[in-house]
Short mmCIF file of all heavy atoms in Angstrom, two decimals:
data_model
loop_
_atom_site.label_atom_id
_atom_site.label_comp_id
_atom_site.label_asym_id
_atom_site.label_seq_id
_atom_site.Cartn_x
_atom_site.Cartn_y
_atom_site.Cartn_z
N VAL U 255 -8.42 11.83 -7.89
CA VAL U 255 -7.20 12.45 -7.36
C VAL U 255 -6.00 11.87 -8.09
O VAL U 255 -5.98 10.68 -8.43
CB VAL U 255 -7.07 12.15 -5.84
CG1 VAL U 255 -5.78 12.75 -5.28
CG2 VAL U 255 -8.27 12.65 -5.07
N SER U 256 -5.00 12.71 -8.33
CA SER U 256 -3.72 12.24 -8.85
C SER U 256 -2.61 13.02 -8.16
O SER U 256 -2.75 14.21 -7.88
CB SER U 256 -3.64 12.46 -10.37
OG SER U 256 -2.44 11.90 -10.86
N ASP U 257 -1.53 12.32 -7.85
CA ASP U 257 -0.35 12.95 -7.27
C ASP U 257 0.85 12.04 -7.48
O ASP U 257 0.74 11.00 -8.12
CB ASP U 257 -0.56 13.29 -5.78
CG ASP U 257 -0.68 12.08 -4.87
OD1 ASP U 257 -0.57 10.92 -5.36
OD2 ASP U 257 -0.90 12.26 -3.67
N GLY U 258 1.99 12.44 -6.97
CA GLY U 258 3.20 11.66 -7.14
C GLY U 258 3.15 10.29 -6.52
O GLY U 258 3.75 9.34 -7.02
N VAL U 259 2.43 10.15 -5.41
CA VAL U 259 2.31 8.84 -4.77
C VAL U 259 1.51 7.91 -5.68
O VAL U 259 1.92 6.77 -5.94
CB VAL U 259 1.63 8.95 -3.38
CG1 VAL U 259 1.41 7.58 -2.77
CG2 VAL U 259 2.45 9.83 -2.45
N ILE U 260 0.38 8.38 -6.17
CA ILE U 260 -0.47 7.57 -7.04
C ILE U 260 0.29 7.18 -8.30
O ILE U 260 0.27 6.01 -8.72
CB ILE U 260 -1.77 8.33 -7.36
CG1 ILE U 260 -2.60 8.51 -6.08
CG2 ILE U 260 -2.57 7.63 -8.45
CD1 ILE U 260 -3.72 9.52 -6.18
N LEU U 261 1.00 8.13 -8.89
CA LEU U 261 1.80 7.83 -10.08
C LEU U 261 2.93 6.86 -9.75
O LEU U 261 3.25 5.98 -10.55
CB LEU U 261 2.35 9.12 -10.68
CG LEU U 261 1.30 10.09 -11.22
CD1 LEU U 261 1.95 11.43 -11.57
CD2 LEU U 261 0.55 9.51 -12.39
N GLY U 262 3.52 7.01 -8.56
CA GLY U 262 4.57 6.11 -8.13
C GLY U 262 4.09 4.69 -7.92
O GLY U 262 4.86 3.73 -8.01
N TYR U 263 2.80 4.53 -7.66
CA TYR U 263 2.20 3.21 -7.52
C TYR U 263 1.81 2.62 -8.88
O TYR U 263 1.23 1.55 -8.96
CB TYR U 263 0.96 3.29 -6.62
CG TYR U 263 1.24 3.13 -5.15
CD1 TYR U 263 2.17 3.93 -4.49
CD2 TYR U 263 0.54 2.20 -4.40
CE1 TYR U 263 2.41 3.79 -3.14
CE2 TYR U 263 0.77 2.05 -3.03
CZ TYR U 263 1.71 2.85 -2.42
OH TYR U 263 1.95 2.70 -1.08
N GLY U 264 2.10 3.35 -9.96
CA GLY U 264 1.80 2.85 -11.28
C GLY U 264 0.38 3.13 -11.74
O GLY U 264 -0.09 2.55 -12.72
N LEU U 265 -0.32 4.03 -11.07
CA LEU U 265 -1.68 4.40 -11.42
C LEU U 265 -1.67 5.83 -11.95
O LEU U 265 -0.71 6.56 -11.75
CB LEU U 265 -2.58 4.32 -10.18
CG LEU U 265 -2.57 2.99 -9.42
CD1 LEU U 265 -3.27 3.13 -8.09
CD2 LEU U 265 -3.22 1.91 -10.27
N SER U 266 -2.73 6.24 -12.62
CA SER U 266 -2.82 7.64 -13.03
C SER U 266 -3.72 8.44 -12.10
O SER U 266 -3.41 9.57 -11.74
CB SER U 266 -3.29 7.77 -14.48
OG SER U 266 -4.55 7.17 -14.64
N THR U 267 -4.85 7.85 -11.71
CA THR U 267 -5.77 8.50 -10.77
C THR U 267 -6.39 7.45 -9.87
O THR U 267 -6.36 6.26 -10.18
CB THR U 267 -6.92 9.24 -11.50
OG1 THR U 267 -7.69 8.29 -12.23
CG2 THR U 267 -6.41 10.32 -12.43
N VAL U 268 -6.96 7.90 -8.76
CA VAL U 268 -7.80 7.06 -7.91
C VAL U 268 -9.08 7.83 -7.63
O VAL U 268 -9.11 9.06 -7.68
CB VAL U 268 -7.12 6.65 -6.58
CG1 VAL U 268 -5.90 5.78 -6.82
CG2 VAL U 268 -6.77 7.85 -5.73
N THR U 269 -10.13 7.10 -7.33
CA THR U 269 -11.41 7.71 -6.99
C THR U 269 -11.41 8.08 -5.52
O THR U 269 -10.96 7.30 -4.67
CB THR U 269 -12.56 6.72 -7.28
OG1 THR U 269 -12.51 6.39 -8.67
CG2 THR U 269 -13.91 7.34 -6.98
N ALA U 270 -11.90 9.26 -5.22
CA ALA U 270 -12.02 9.71 -3.83
C ALA U 270 -13.50 9.77 -3.46
O ALA U 270 -14.37 9.85 -4.32
CB ALA U 270 -11.38 11.08 -3.66
N GLU U 271 -13.75 9.74 -2.17
CA GLU U 271 -15.11 9.85 -1.64
C GLU U 271 -15.26 11.20 -0.95
O GLU U 271 -14.38 11.62 -0.19
CB GLU U 271 -15.35 8.74 -0.63
CG GLU U 271 -16.69 8.77 0.03
CD GLU U 271 -16.83 7.70 1.10
OE1 GLU U 271 -16.17 6.65 1.01
OE2 GLU U 271 -17.60 7.94 2.05
N VAL U 272 -16.36 11.88 -1.21
CA VAL U 272 -16.64 13.13 -0.52
C VAL U 272 -17.19 12.77 0.87
O VAL U 272 -18.23 12.12 0.98
CB VAL U 272 -17.67 13.99 -1.29
CG1 VAL U 272 -18.04 15.23 -0.50
CG2 VAL U 272 -17.12 14.37 -2.65
N VAL U 273 -16.48 13.18 1.91
CA VAL U 273 -16.92 12.95 3.28
C VAL U 273 -17.93 14.01 3.66
O VAL U 273 -18.96 13.72 4.25
CB VAL U 273 -15.71 12.93 4.24
CG1 VAL U 273 -16.17 12.80 5.69
CG2 VAL U 273 -14.75 11.82 3.86
N SER U 274 -17.63 15.27 3.31
CA SER U 274 -18.57 16.37 3.53
C SER U 274 -18.22 17.52 2.59
O SER U 274 -17.07 17.68 2.20
CB SER U 274 -18.55 16.85 4.99
OG SER U 274 -17.32 17.45 5.29
N SER U 275 -19.24 18.28 2.25
CA SER U 275 -19.04 19.43 1.38
C SER U 275 -19.99 20.54 1.83
O SER U 275 -21.20 20.37 1.80
CB SER U 275 -19.33 19.04 -0.08
OG SER U 275 -19.15 20.15 -0.92
N THR U 276 -19.39 21.64 2.28
CA THR U 276 -20.17 22.80 2.70
C THR U 276 -19.61 24.04 2.01
O THR U 276 -18.63 23.95 1.26
CB THR U 276 -20.08 23.01 4.23
OG1 THR U 276 -18.73 23.37 4.57
CG2 THR U 276 -20.48 21.75 5.00
N ASP U 277 -20.21 25.18 2.28
CA ASP U 277 -19.68 26.44 1.72
C ASP U 277 -18.30 26.75 2.28
O ASP U 277 -17.52 27.46 1.66
CB ASP U 277 -20.62 27.60 2.03
CG ASP U 277 -21.92 27.51 1.24
OD1 ASP U 277 -21.96 26.78 0.23
OD2 ASP U 277 -22.89 28.16 1.65
N ASN U 278 -17.97 26.20 3.48
CA ASN U 278 -16.71 26.50 4.15
C ASN U 278 -15.59 25.52 3.89
O ASN U 278 -14.42 25.86 4.03
CB ASN U 278 -16.93 26.61 5.66
CG ASN U 278 -17.85 27.75 6.01
OD1 ASN U 278 -17.81 28.79 5.38
ND2 ASN U 278 -18.70 27.54 7.00
N GLU U 279 -15.93 24.26 3.55
CA GLU U 279 -14.87 23.29 3.34
C GLU U 279 -15.36 22.07 2.55
O GLU U 279 -16.56 21.77 2.51
CB GLU U 279 -14.25 22.83 4.65
CG GLU U 279 -15.13 21.93 5.49
CD GLU U 279 -14.45 21.47 6.77
OE1 GLU U 279 -13.42 22.02 7.16
OE2 GLU U 279 -14.99 20.53 7.36
N LEU U 280 -14.38 21.40 1.96
CA LEU U 280 -14.60 20.14 1.27
C LEU U 280 -13.70 19.11 1.93
O LEU U 280 -12.49 19.35 2.07
CB LEU U 280 -14.25 20.29 -0.22
CG LEU U 280 -14.24 19.01 -1.06
CD1 LEU U 280 -15.64 18.40 -1.15
CD2 LEU U 280 -13.69 19.31 -2.45
N ARG U 281 -14.27 17.99 2.37
CA ARG U 281 -13.49 16.91 2.98
C ARG U 281 -13.58 15.67 2.10
O ARG U 281 -14.67 15.27 1.71
CB ARG U 281 -13.97 16.58 4.38
CG ARG U 281 -13.63 17.66 5.39
CD ARG U 281 -14.10 17.24 6.78
NE ARG U 281 -13.79 18.24 7.75
CZ ARG U 281 -12.74 18.20 8.57
NH1 ARG U 281 -11.91 17.18 8.52
NH2 ARG U 281 -12.52 19.16 9.43
N LEU U 282 -12.43 15.07 1.83
CA LEU U 282 -12.34 13.90 0.96
C LEU U 282 -11.53 12.80 1.63
O LEU U 282 -10.72 13.08 2.52
CB LEU U 282 -11.63 14.26 -0.35
CG LEU U 282 -12.16 15.42 -1.17
CD1 LEU U 282 -11.16 15.79 -2.25
CD2 LEU U 282 -13.50 15.05 -1.75
N LYS U 283 -11.74 11.56 1.15
CA LYS U 283 -10.86 10.46 1.56
C LYS U 283 -10.67 9.55 0.36
O LYS U 283 -11.55 9.45 -0.50
CB LYS U 283 -11.41 9.71 2.77
CG LYS U 283 -12.65 8.90 2.53
CD LYS U 283 -13.05 8.16 3.80
CE LYS U 283 -14.29 7.33 3.58
NZ LYS U 283 -14.66 6.57 4.78
N TRP U 284 -9.48 8.92 0.29
CA TRP U 284 -9.18 7.98 -0.77
C TRP U 284 -8.12 7.00 -0.31
O TRP U 284 -7.47 7.22 0.70
CB TRP U 284 -8.75 8.69 -2.05
CG TRP U 284 -7.45 9.44 -2.01
CD1 TRP U 284 -6.21 8.97 -2.33
CD2 TRP U 284 -7.26 10.82 -1.62
NE1 TRP U 284 -5.27 9.96 -2.17
CE2 TRP U 284 -5.89 11.10 -1.74
CE3 TRP U 284 -8.12 11.83 -1.18
CZ2 TRP U 284 -5.36 12.35 -1.44
CZ3 TRP U 284 -7.59 13.08 -0.88
CH2 TRP U 284 -6.23 13.33 -1.02
N GLN U 285 -8.00 5.92 -1.05
CA GLN U 285 -7.01 4.90 -0.73
C GLN U 285 -6.25 4.53 -1.99
O GLN U 285 -6.83 4.42 -3.06
CB GLN U 285 -7.68 3.65 -0.16
CG GLN U 285 -6.67 2.55 0.18
CD GLN U 285 -7.26 1.44 0.99
OE1 GLN U 285 -8.07 1.68 1.87
NE2 GLN U 285 -6.87 0.22 0.70
N VAL U 286 -4.95 4.36 -1.82
CA VAL U 286 -4.10 3.88 -2.91
C VAL U 286 -3.71 2.45 -2.53
O VAL U 286 -3.07 2.24 -1.50
CB VAL U 286 -2.83 4.75 -3.08
CG1 VAL U 286 -2.02 4.29 -4.27
CG2 VAL U 286 -3.21 6.22 -3.21
N GLU U 287 -4.15 1.50 -3.34
CA GLU U 287 -3.89 0.10 -3.01
C GLU U 287 -2.49 -0.29 -3.43
O GLU U 287 -2.07 -0.03 -4.55
CB GLU U 287 -4.93 -0.79 -3.68
CG GLU U 287 -6.31 -0.59 -3.09
CD GLU U 287 -7.32 -1.59 -3.62
OE1 GLU U 287 -6.92 -2.62 -4.18
OE2 GLU U 287 -8.51 -1.31 -3.46
N GLY U 288 -1.79 -0.93 -2.50
CA GLY U 288 -0.44 -1.38 -2.76
C GLY U 288 -0.44 -2.79 -3.33
O GLY U 288 -1.41 -3.22 -3.94
N GLY U 289 0.64 -3.48 -3.10
CA GLY U 289 0.76 -4.86 -3.58
C GLY U 289 2.11 -5.10 -4.20
O GLY U 289 3.00 -4.26 -4.15
#
């Protein structure tokens, strides 16, 4: 995943985890580490 928050944290992308994936929806989660 990449977005303005991730770029604002000085990163280009972060890895996301697929929580579930069906024909009807895709659910993801990810964390942007601060510091």
Side-chain angles (χ1 to χ4, degrees):
V255 178
S256 185
D257 68 2
V259 176
I260 294 166
L261 295 171
Y263 272 54
L265 306 169
S266 58
T267 62
V268 296
T269 301
E271 178 184 333
V272 175
V273 175
S274 67
S275 180
T276 67
D277 290 341
N278 296 324
E279 72 178 14
L280 172 65
R281 288 182 180 261
L282 306 168
K283 69 178 180 178
W284 66 92
Q285 180 168 321
V286 184
E287 292 187 17

